[in-house]
Structures are given as C-alpha cells and as structure tokens.
Amino acid sequence: MVIRVIEDRKGDHIRICLEHDVQARYNHWDDVFIPHRAIPTCDLDEVDLGVELLGKRLEAPIIISSMTGGSKEAGRYNELLARAASEFGLAMGVGSQRAALENPRYRDSYSVVAEYDIPLVLGNLGAPQLSRGNEGNNYGKEEVERAIDMIGAHGIFVHLNYLQEVVQPEGDTTVRGFIENLEALCRDFDVIAKETGAGISGTDALLLKDAGVKALDVGGMSGTSFSAVESFRKDDTGFAERSGRTLREWGIPSPVSMVEANVGLPLIGSGGIRNGLDVARALSLGATAAGMAHHLLEQASKGYEELAKEIEYIIREVRSVIFLSGATCVRDMWDTSPIITGRTADYMK
Ligand SMILES: Cc1cc2nc3c(=O)[nH]c(=O)nc-3n(C[C@H](O)[C@H](O)[C@H](O)COP(=O)(O)O)c2cc1C
C-alpha cells in the first residue's frame, strides 16, 4: 500500500541516518578558506546576524532543512526542531508532505510546527509529484495550498531528489511537465527549489529562475548522501544496496554548486554544513543563509537541551567567523573573496 510504504520510508530515513554513516566521504566545505583579518572592523557584539528571506527576518542565517513528518517519531522530531527554530528565530522546513496529503492521519506530525512562533516556515513537496506524467499523483495548486495551510507555512520548498529516486526500487522518476507545472505554481506561491544532496548546476539554476522560483537551496554533495541512505534500506531485489553504493558520491560539490547556481536569486548553502564555520563559508560564497539537516537531526536525537546548546554554539561560531573576516553582517561576507583549494578547486577548473 502506498501510504504504508511512505511511512516506512520516512521511518527508515531517520533510523538509517542516525545509525549508519551516510555522509559523503569528502566534505568540500573544508576546501573553502575565508581570509583572516587580524584587525576586525567592528566589535564582536556589533556583528549583525539578521537576514531577510522571502520577506521574513531571521535572527541568524540558518535554516533547519526539510527532513521529516509522516510518522509518530517524525512528529516528535518536528516538534523539537520547531521549538528550536522558534527559540533562535531560524527558518524551518518540514519533510515531504506527500504522506499527509494522501492520508490525513499523518497531518499532526507536520502541523505540530504551527504551534510555534517561527519567522519562516516552509512546506515541502517533491518534483516527481509535480510532474504531469505522474498519473494519479500529479499535484498542482490545490495540493500546494493544502500543504501550506497544514503547517501555516509562508512558502514551499519543491525538492529535487532524482538521485534518490533512481536508486530506489520503487522510485518515482517522472519529470516531464515539471517545469511547466512549477511555472504555474510560482505564480501563486513563494517557491524555493531545493536539491537534496546532489547540487544544482548553473543550467538548472537558470531554468528554475525562469520558472519563477524565489530562491535556490543548492543542497550539494558533501553531507548526507541519499544514495547512501537508500543503500541501507531493506530491498528484496538488492538493487538499492548496489546502486546506492555505486552512486554514493554522485553530484555537484556544495561549494561548486554555490558558485554555479549564483544566478541572481537568494541562495541557500547546504549539503554537509556541520558548524558555524561551514555556515560562514556558505555566506562567503554568496548565501543569504545556510541549511542544516543531518547534523541537527543527530543533536535532536539526544533531546532538546543538546539541540539548543548546539544551535547556540553554531550561532556563536558564525558571529565569530564574520568578525574574524572583517565583516560586520551577512551581506559583507559576500565580499570576502574566499580561497578555494584542493579537490574543490580542481573540480572548478
Ligand atoms: C532524515 C532526513 C530526511 C530528509 N527528508 C527530506 C524531505 O522529505 N524533503 C527534502 O526536501 N529533503 C529531505 N532531506 C534532505 C535535507 O533537507 C538536505 O537537503 C540534505 O540532507 C543535505 O543536507 P545535510 O548534509 O545537512 O544533511 C532529508 C534529510 C534527512 C537527513
């Protein structure tokens, strides 16, 4: 049954991400160096961490990336993450809302976020469900409206996850009609297009910009590999295990995708962001904010106190690095001219 399958999948994803190593073997953010300023240009406590995204003000340039919903356990994670987003004034996305659109019994695991005062809440639906060829599952305006209303969202992430779909035995690989459908949705809603760990190229960034999305979340290769995640799922055919391993490192490294996808839209740097230095590295490559998924899931699994302490430290690190870069605010970071070395520099040649 399709609903049971979705619930199992969401539960599997959390469990696998917490129990197995599903990170890319090389984190390309380590190749990004921001030049140090021995004499910063303002006092540390004068650094302004606030940013605006989709017209909403965040207290710090951090997004809790879309992860979950669709099971009891997922609902508990969404509640922990929502509480943190509210306490620290961060943006938050929920995981794909397909499960709740298809079965109302899963609504609560998403709508729990509406109980918190969060500056920017983003719904989530996938490109395969928005593709015309996908019979019976072809979402449009009505479904997006329902997804947004379900959680009191200000906009919606449309995720691009074809790497994950191709390695799943039950993967949904329809894409025809997606861009036309997206274009129509962008006329009615604030849409952010996001990848889920394989990055967005310059060509695709332009296609998405032309379709009318308001921002791009690069979701590059460097952190969670959904190909790796799928390789750990039980699969009678053995295909996911094999193919998931083969394609584990597929994708555009996150910092490279930042450079390619910088097409004049607000950019979100994500895929492998582990700490405040990585957040600042993303800012130095033109991001308005950075998205974190796996790292925060791990902290949340230890309870709210651990999650809150980690976010507090990450924010302090972002402030410190902005200060040490001679910048006074997020926007100044765009002028810091980071140096890209190693494998990432090779890739960019
Ligand atoms: C457990 C888990 C579930 C996820 N589910 C979704 C999802 O439903 N929709 C989505 O757009 N991205 C989903 N993602 C992808 C993240 O939003 C993010 O793009 C990706 O994990 C890369 O970020 P990271 O390296 O910080 O984990 C999920 C990630 C994790 C770890």
Side-chain angles (χ1 to χ4, degrees), residues 36-158:
H36 172 63
R37 286 289 305 273
I39 306 174
T41 57
C42 70
D43 293 353
L44 179 67
D45 60 9
E46 285 174 330
V47 169
D48 178 8
L49 292 179
V51 284
E52 235 185 59
L53 190 61
L54 297 192
K56 305 289 174 194
R57 171 140 179 121
L58 313 184
E59 296 298 319
I62 297 172
I63 298 176
I64 300 176
S65 294
S66 317
M67 272 186 280
T68 200
S71 70
K72 242 191 172 162
E73 184 194 19
R76 279 195 297 275
Y77 277 105
N78 271 339
E79 177 155 27
L80 287 167
L81 298 168
R83 188 175 154 198
S86 164
E87 181 179 339
F88 293 97
L90 312 179
M92 173 179 173
V94 295
S96 169
Q97 291 170 270
R98 183 179 169 196
L101 288 184
E102 288 171 21
N103 188 334
R105 85 178 228 243
Y106 297 126
R107 277 182 61 108
D108 294 354
S109 66
Y110 298 91
S111 60
V112 62
V113 307
E115 288 163 29
Y116 292 85
D117 184 16
I118 302 171
L120 178 60
V121 177
L122 295 153
N124 191 290
L125 287 174
Q129 287 81 55
L130 294 167
S131 300
R132 199 175 293 132
N134 189 6
E135 282 168 39
N137 265 330
N138 189 12
Y139 291 172
K141 189 173 171 183
E142 189 203 319
E143 286 78 12
V144 173
E145 215 151 53
R146 282 172 53 208
I148 285 180
D149 289 349
M150 188 189 301
I151 57 170
H154 306 100
I156 189 150
F157 273 124
V158 167

Side-chain angles (χ1 to χ4, degrees), residues 9-18 22-24 27 29 63-69 93-98 110 123-126 157-161 164 194-198 217-226 229 254 269-274 291-298:
R9 197 187 304 153
K10 297 314 283 183
D12 279 357
H13 286 161
I14 294 177
R15 185 181 51 74
I16 291 169
C17 283
L18 293 175
V22 293
Q23 300 299 293
N27 192 312
W29 293 110
I63 298 176
I64 300 176
S65 294
S66 317
M67 272 186 280
T68 200
V94 295
S96 169
Q97 291 170 270
R98 183 179 169 196
Y110 298 91
N124 191 290
L125 287 174
F157 273 124
V158 167
H159 71 251
L160 305 158
N161 69 329
Q164 179 187 14
K194 82 183 277 290
E195 241 289 351
T196 49
D217 180 340
V218 302
M221 186 267 280
S222 276
T224 307
S225 158
F226 260 86
V229 173
S254 304
S270 71
I273 302 279
R274 301 154 293 184
M292 303 180 83
H294 187 275
H295 184 66
L296 296 182
L297 181 76
E298 234 174 8

Side-chain angles (χ1 to χ4, degrees), residues 61-345:
I62 297 172
I63 298 176
I64 300 176
S65 294
S66 317
M67 272 186 280
T68 200
S71 70
K72 242 191 172 162
E73 184 194 19
R76 279 195 297 275
Y77 277 105
N78 271 339
E79 177 155 27
L80 287 167
L81 298 168
R83 188 175 154 198
S86 164
E87 181 179 339
F88 293 97
L90 312 179
M92 173 179 173
V94 295
S96 169
Q97 291 170 270
R98 183 179 169 196
L101 288 184
E102 288 171 21
N103 188 334
R105 85 178 228 243
Y106 297 126
R107 277 182 61 108
D108 294 354
S109 66
Y110 298 91
S111 60
V112 62
V113 307
E115 288 163 29
Y116 292 85
D117 184 16
I118 302 171
L120 178 60
V121 177
L122 295 153
N124 191 290
L125 287 174
Q129 287 81 55
L130 294 167
S131 300
R132 199 175 293 132
N134 189 6
E135 282 168 39
N137 265 330
N138 189 12
Y139 291 172
K141 189 173 171 183
E142 189 203 319
E143 286 78 12
V144 173
E145 215 151 53
R146 282 172 53 208
I148 285 180
D149 289 349
M150 188 189 301
I151 57 170
H154 306 100
I156 189 150
F157 273 124
V158 167
H159 71 251
L160 305 158
N161 69 329
Y162 287 104
L163 169 60
Q164 179 187 14
E165 300 289 353
V166 293
V167 298
Q168 277 178 25
E170 77 274 26
D172 184 343
T173 49
T174 33
V175 65
R176 276 190 194 282
F178 167 62
I179 282 290
E180 292 82 349
N181 203 359
L182 182 69
E183 235 171 65
L185 294 174
C186 288
R187 287 196 278 274
D188 292 313
F189 305 98
D190 283 346
V191 176
I192 302 181
K194 82 183 277 290
E195 241 289 351
T196 49
I200 296 178
S201 68
T203 306
D204 290 335
L206 286 172
L207 276 172
L208 294 162
K209 184 183 183 190
D210 287 349
V213 303
K214 291 277 189 321
L216 294 170
D217 180 340
V218 302
M221 186 267 280
S222 276
T224 307
S225 158
F226 260 86
S227 188
V229 173
E230 293 300 330
S231 74
F232 287 108
R233 285 186 63 217
K234 274 203 201 78
D235 154 31
D236 294 338
T237 68
F239 177 73
E241 185 186 349
R242 181 221 150 91
S243 201
R245 275 195 266 128
T246 306
L247 295 175
R248 185 178 168 132
E249 310 294 324
W250 177 268
I252 306 168
S254 304
V256 178
S257 184
M258 291 296 298
V259 174
E260 287 200 19
N262 203 339
V263 293
L265 288 174
L267 260 189
I268 298 163
S270 71
I273 302 279
R274 301 154 293 184
N275 50 44
L277 174 57
D278 288 343
V279 172
R281 285 166 162 152
L283 302 177
S284 76
L285 289 171
T288 295
M292 303 180 83
H294 187 275
H295 184 66
L296 296 182
L297 181 76
E298 234 174 8
Q299 304 308 314
S301 73
K302 301 174 196 161
Y304 187 74
E305 301 314 316
E306 285 298 314
L307 174 66
K309 190 170 83 180
E310 180 65 12
I311 293 179
E312 189 196 320
Y313 288 179
I314 290 169
I315 292 173
R316 277 172 66 174
E317 287 171 351
V318 181
R319 180 183 294 282
S320 303
V321 178
I322 292 181
F323 173 71
L324 294 171
S325 309
T328 62
C329 62
V330 167
R331 227 173 178 291
D332 282 359
M333 289 300 287
W334 299 353
D335 300 323
T336 50
S337 307
I339 296 140
I340 311 231
T341 65
R343 279 168 70 169
T344 313

